[in-house]
Amino acid sequence: MSHLLDQLNTQQRTAVEHSEGPALILAGAGSGKTRVITYRIAHLIGAKGIPPESILAVTFTNKAADQMKERVAHLLSDSLESWPHISTFHSFCVRVLRRNIEGALPGYTRDFSIYDEDDQARLVKTIVNELGLGEQAASPRSLLARISYAKNRGLAPQDLYRQAADAATEKLATVFERYERKLRQANALDFDDLLLKTVELLYAAKDVCERYNQRFRYVLVDEYQDTSRIQYQLIRQLTLIHQNLCVVGDEDQSIYRWRGAEIENILNFERDYPGARLIRLEQNYRSTQVILDAATAVVSRNRARKGKVLWTDRAGGARVGLYEAQSADEEAFFIAAEIQRTLAADGDATIAVLYRTNSQSRLFEEALRRLTIGYRVVGGFSFYERAEVKDLLSYARLATNLRDSAALLRVINTPARGIGDTTVQSLQASARRANLSLWEALEQDLAAKLLPARSLRVLENFYNLVSELAAARGQMTMSGFFREVLERTNYLETLRAEGTPEAESRIENLQELVNAAAEAEDRGETLAEFLDHAALVSAADDFEERARVTLMSLHSAKGLEFSVVFLAGLVEGLFPHKLSMDDDAALEEERRLCYVGMTRARDRLILTRGASRRSFAREDYETSPPSRFLREVPSELIETLNLAMTGVKPRTTWENAVSSRADIERFLRERRSNAWNPGSASAGAGETTRSTSRWKLGSPVRHPKFGLGTILGCEGEGEDSKLTVSFPGYGKKKFVEKFAALEKI
DNA sequence: CAATCCCATTTTTTT
DNA sequence: AATGGGATTG
């Protein structure tokens, strides 16, 4: 085991060898933080003989947890009898709650559901409607954000009432209170509750708290700068007895203030845990000096920081590239072309394109596809967020926890079975009157028979269906159960009947879900565990084989590194985001985010911006000035890449890589033409749209999927025009001419 | 009373 | 582009 220590510098070794008592490790970007944590775990087990199961390591993301598990397993090559518990805050809490919630929290059973963001939003919306707050209240979205923020700080509705200074806060408190009540009725917890209720439970049930204290004698927390008050309290309760708490963090990388993270947690650590050992990791092993200097220059504009000196022995390095494009399209093409050259020149390069908002990925995807460069996108829409997947999961949730009203609402008329809005409304009304979950209200209404006969009939069918599914749940395998649901609900059949390509892909997704369930089963997971996993796995966690090119948001990039990083969209309003520009603290967080992005790069960092971009999918472009962060990078560290524009001849290979203006113009031209048409490759030249043709209203056309149709309308000119075509059996469809393989007859 | 059609709105970051 | 709400139709 001692050979492990040889691979570490002095500070790292101190951190790894520290075992008893509290420790705070201030780890700058790229200072080998993950290495220290994993080596420390390995060291505790291998050298100190600590039983693995008495170690708890907590992270924020599943990605980080998986990575940590993998690396610990790698270090401890001999198979262990037990394993350290490495998980996210949320999954850890789910485990604790499933085991201890009954009796400890009135009204809850171990089968509680986890409400996702969608469920939460709907819930808030119905509450706003119930209270008749329509126009006068803030949007459900922002109400939910404020509720979540309050929960993350451990505030209850009563606390809000008490400090309510204005009518708006009072309304918020009212909504909040009702929101909580509905969650209880539904035997459901939202994401914040998972933490909150666990903390409540640990405070209330001393014996449970002590048990976990004894079980986990060593606790590690990653990304401590991003912990909220509740997470702080959780950790505090878990370490009351032994105080063997080791936290790792970097205040310059705190980027979750908006979600309730309190930077004070890291700043006050030494006060909260007297005698804490403080260890600073200041040697950066990742980036070149140039990149480090550039990033440091930006973040040092912040007032709220302790300040630290990061150094590297990778002196010099390529200057930070800067490409300033006219438009976001051009920016995307530049990046794609640059990536192509980088990949050709260096077979080992790993490349990331980082951006502020997920919606920005689209342009980059398009540009990369055109150059047939493989990539993967982290974040955005994930598998588990697809409607059909959620539908099927909702059936499973409902069958597991009949009180789960969010799941019930989702599936009560999916697929359509004649239970419409009015019927659902009346059900909701009676649930509200009797203070019941929707399922209980349904039972009650069916017994009372006060509804129109037709409603009673369809509701009874639904009731029987779900009851049978609930009974079947325990009788069969997980995948078998999912298949049963698809069968009994006619879900697949309904999709098949649609016959559209969209329906086909939905069917495939459902198939994939059934397969995932079967795999989980092989691993010994129960349906409940599978549902937990689906609820807690985020889009950013699908960490597949490392692709050469990765697109992701700056937030998801935290903790990762790449040899080449493109930091895109550096324009005011986007980055810093316009919603953060009025508030100093928020602006400083944007700056830290910029720092996080820049320090992901090992060898080469390229900053880009496109002056104009289309907002939403509308026609008009909006123009934004360069991001202030660009000005904050010292100009001597920057190399401008817009050479073609200025007419200067390229000199180095990197400069050579710059696309010529002609390239870019050709790209933009082609983009507007139908050169990129997913269907055209197989369709053959003769069938594709002739862009010169004029479409006459009423004339017949043929579509490869929908068959014969009639043109009903045509907006705009040339290949960009939108056509409305009616197809017998399919209804009216709208096409953009250049993308639709419409054939004139 | 439910299904369908049309229009307005949407996008900050995540467990 | 996609979703949800509101109006219209069947």
Side-chain angles (χ1 to χ4, degrees), chain A residues 105-320:
Chain A
L105 283 176
Y108 281 98
T109 72
R110 69 173 68 253
D111 289 324
F112 65 83
S113 295
I114 301 171
Y115 270 20
D116 66 19
E117 206 177 331
D118 222 49
D119 300 326
Q120 299 179 52
R122 277 169 212 272
L123 189 49
V124 172
K125 205 171 285 174
T126 56
I127 291 170
V128 168
N129 288 338
E130 280 177 18
L131 295 173
L133 291 175
E135 296 306 305
Q136 36 178 327
S139 69
R141 230 189 137 69
S142 81
L143 284 170
L144 180 59
R146 293 185 61 185
I147 290 174
S148 171
Y149 190 74
K151 284 186 163 194
N152 272 297
R153 306 200 314 139
L155 297 175
Q158 296 78 349
D159 300 315
L160 287 190
Y161 276 125
R162 216 168 294 133
Q163 52 179 253
D166 47 24
T169 313
E170 212 170 292
K171 290 212 177 78
L172 174 69
T174 315
V175 175
F176 188 4
E177 190 175 24
R178 194 173 283 226
Y179 174 84
E180 293 287 287
R181 191 164 75 219
K182 294 213 182 236
L183 281 175
R184 267 198 312 278
Q185 267 166 17
N187 189 22
L189 300 175
D190 66 15
F191 284 135
D192 303 316
D193 282 336
L194 296 178
L195 305 175
L196 196 54
K197 301 299 178 193
T198 305
V199 169
E200 278 176 21
L201 190 142
L202 292 180
Y203 273 117
K206 289 292 163 215
D207 53 324
V208 176
C209 185
E210 193 181 327
R211 210 168 64 230
Y212 282 104
N213 266 265
Q214 298 297 2
R215 154 113 201 251
F216 297 115
R217 286 187 49 209
Y218 295 86
V219 178
L220 292 95
V221 184
D222 192 15
E223 308 281 11
Y224 194 66
Q225 76 282 352
D226 284 328
T227 49
S228 66
R229 187 175 299 178
I230 286 300
Q231 284 158 338
Y232 165 82
Q233 288 172 354
L234 174 72
I235 296 301
R236 188 107 182 121
Q237 288 306 110
L238 285 175
T239 55
L240 284 175
I241 296 179
H242 298 294
Q243 305 239 333
N244 291 325
L245 171 63
C246 173
V247 304
V248 187
D250 174 7
E251 82 269 17
D252 284 337
Q253 294 190 64
S254 156
I255 55 175
Y256 287 104
R257 198 187 67 104
W258 54 275
R259 206 173 84 185
E262 295 189 354
I263 203 160
E264 291 75 21
N265 291 342
I266 198 167
L267 300 178
N268 295 338
F269 186 81
E270 290 166 277
R271 189 200 66 197
D272 296 331
Y273 288 88
R277 184 82 186 262
L278 173 69
I279 299 158
R280 287 171 183 272
L281 306 180
E282 291 182 312
Q283 179 174 5
N284 174 297
Y285 289 95
R286 180 184 298 151
S287 312
T288 64
Q289 189 68 52
V290 167
I291 291 171
L292 217 49
D293 287 347
T296 306
V298 173
V299 80
S300 62
R301 304 259 173 163
N302 277 354
R303 301 174 63 93
R305 68 189 288 263
K306 289 172 116 173
K308 68 169 139 347
V309 198
L310 271 185
W311 60 280
T312 172
D313 51 17
R314 297 190 61 193
R319 278 188 288 165
V320 175

Side-chain angles (χ1 to χ4, degrees), chain A residues 416-461:
Chain A
R417 50 172 74 88
I419 305 176
D421 227 25
T422 326
T423 309
V424 173
Q425 296 266 335
S426 92
L427 191 59
Q428 281 179 302
S430 69
R432 214 173 103 202
R433 271 196 306 274
N435 234 337
L436 293 172
S437 69
L438 289 178
W439 178 259
E440 291 159 334
L442 175 59
E443 275 181 329
Q444 184 190 277
D445 287 6
L446 285 177
K449 295 199 193 306
L450 287 174
L451 290 161
R454 180 172 150 190
S455 305
L456 274 179
R457 202 183 63 239
V458 284
L459 283 176
E460 186 147 14
N461 286 341

Side-chain angles (χ1 to χ4, degrees), chain A residues 342-343 345-351 548 563 602:
Chain A
T342 307
L343 287 175
D346 176 3
D348 296 324
T350 56
I351 301 172
R548 304 287 304 278
S563 54
R602 280 201 292 267

Side-chain angles (χ1 to χ4, degrees), chain A residues 111 113-116 119 392-402 404 406-407 481 531:
Chain A
D111 289 324
S113 295
I114 301 171
Y115 270 20
D116 66 19
D119 300 326
L392 184 48
L393 289 173
S394 292
Y395 274 109
R397 266 170 55 175
L398 186 58
T400 309
N401 169 25
L402 291 169
D404 187 335
F481 172 71
L531 292 177

